[in-house]
């Protein structure tokens, strides 16, 4: 899962990158609204974490512009502005959630999981597909109730395919989600992790769409 972090304070950005990275997200960090719009024009993100007090264009203006362009990525505002009117304005401008600084990292991660699963049309916190379940919070996978060990990156690949079940995910999309975890994460890196998942869960769980990518079929 890929997160766009719009935050001008380096210390906060660094802390978020480390914590969100450990939780299995890849964070792209930008420090102002214009760079955020450039990043959104270039890539697909699963979530945007947006500061309001930004240099140049204010975070609220950025939010308004992003939504005005028809972008529907979930947005969590993370700001020092704690007045009720700011919260209301942020939500009315199209944010999905609003947290004030100082914030608790675990709570932010929990709220990120909520937004990502809702964006994928899911109300249950655990991903379930056929005989496999994946718990994004606990970082566990089971098959027929038995625990399955996966390397962290294989876990990421599996969670993306299960989150988007029934849809083809391109190798490039998977590689860009892994990018930053490992130098030179490319399509062959993705293949390595898909092979590992197949060794653990059986060949049929992930189907190759030749020349395009992979799919975890619904049935
Ligand atoms: Ca700020």
């Amino acid at each position: 899962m890929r997160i766009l972090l719009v935050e001008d304070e380096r210390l906060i950005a660094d802390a978020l990158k480390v914590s969100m990275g450990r939780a299995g997200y890849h964070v792209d960090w930008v420090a102002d609204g214009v760079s955020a719009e450039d990043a959104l024009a270039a890539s697909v993100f699963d979530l945007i974490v947006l500061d309001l007090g930004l240099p140049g264009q204010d975070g609220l203006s950025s939010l308004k512009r992003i939504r005005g362009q028809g972008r529907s990525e979930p947005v969590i505002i993370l700001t020092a502005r704690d007045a009720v009117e700011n919260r209301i304005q942020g939500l009315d401008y199209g944010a999905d959630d609003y947290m004030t600084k100082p914030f608790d990292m675990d709570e932010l991660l929990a709220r990120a999981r909520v937004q990502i699963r809702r964006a994928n049309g899911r109300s249950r916190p655990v991903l379930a597909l056929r005989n496999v379940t994946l718990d994004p919070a606990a970082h566990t996978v089971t098959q027929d109730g038995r625990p399955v060990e996966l390397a962290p990156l294989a876990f990421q690949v599996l969670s993306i395919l299960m989150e988007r079940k029934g849809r083809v995910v391109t190798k490039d999309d998977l590689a860009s989600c892994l990018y930053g975890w490992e130098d030179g994460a490319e399509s062959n890196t993705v293949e390595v992790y898909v092979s590992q998942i197949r060794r653990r869960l059986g060949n049929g769980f992930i189907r190759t769409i030749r020349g395009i990518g992979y799919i975890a079929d619904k049935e």
Side-chain angles (χ1 to χ4, degrees):
M1 298 288 151
R2 196 165 173 188
I3 296 182
L4 178 63
L5 170 63
V6 193
E7 169 63 70
D8 62 323
E9 288 167 61
R10 174 176 275 277
L11 281 178
I12 293 178
D14 284 345
L16 279 164
K17 279 170 83 170
V18 169
S19 299
M20 296 190 119
R22 279 197 199 118
Y25 303 107
H26 173 60
V27 177
D28 287 38
W29 173 44
V30 295
D32 63 78
V34 174
S35 308
E37 286 180 41
D38 289 346
L40 283 165
S43 305
V44 176
F45 293 92
D46 297 287
L47 174 71
I48 303 167
V49 176
L50 176 69
D51 181 24
L52 293 185
L54 293 168
Q57 182 173 279
D58 185 80
L60 274 180
S61 314
S62 300
L63 177 59
K64 211 172 177 181
R65 286 172 57 91
I66 289 167
R67 289 298 188 232
Q69 290 159 4
R71 306 293 303 215
S72 59
E73 287 91 343
V75 173
I76 300 178
I77 289 177
L78 185 61
T79 179
R81 296 179 197 168
D82 59 357
V84 172
E85 52 268 35
N86 293 131
R87 292 168 184 257
I88 292 170
Q89 201 175 21
L91 294 168
D92 280 346
Y93 274 29
D96 298 276
D97 201 355
Y98 194 106
M99 282 188 77
T100 53
K101 298 171 185 168
F103 64 99
D104 182 274
M105 192 65 79
D106 288 334
E107 185 183 353
L108 176 63
L109 290 171
R111 287 171 184 255
R113 289 193 293 272
V114 168
Q115 292 306 328
I116 289 170
R117 74 171 189 250
R118 283 194 184 153
N120 286 287
R122 196 159 56 82
S123 54
R124 291 181 60 201
V126 172
L127 292 162
L129 182 60
R130 288 176 268 152
N131 61 347
V132 175
T133 58
L134 181 148
D135 186 334
H139 259 251
T140 53
V141 177
T142 62
Q143 185 174 38
D144 293 320
R146 287 188 297 275
V148 175
E149 291 290 326
L150 288 176
L153 288 171
F155 181 90
Q156 288 313 310
V157 169
L158 182 63
S159 66
I160 293 161
L161 289 168
M162 286 181 71
E163 190 75 80
R164 302 182 194 174
K165 64 185 171 189
R167 286 179 279 165
V168 179
V169 184
T170 67
K171 276 191 191 178
D172 282 353
D173 268 358
L174 286 166
S176 77
C177 291
L178 302 183
Y179 181 81
W181 281 85
E182 215 174 56
D183 288 336
E186 283 163 12
S187 359
N188 28 358
T189 318
V190 172
E191 283 164 24
V192 169
Y193 293 113
V194 168
S195 304
Q196 191 196 107
I197 294 166
R198 284 177 170 153
R199 281 198 300 279
R200 301 284 194 281
L201 299 181
N203 273 337
F205 196 76
I206 296 173
R207 194 156 56 86
T208 301
I209 306 295
R210 201 170 293 280
I212 302 174
Y214 301 98
I215 184 169
D217 288 304
K218 285 187 178 172
E219 297 299 334

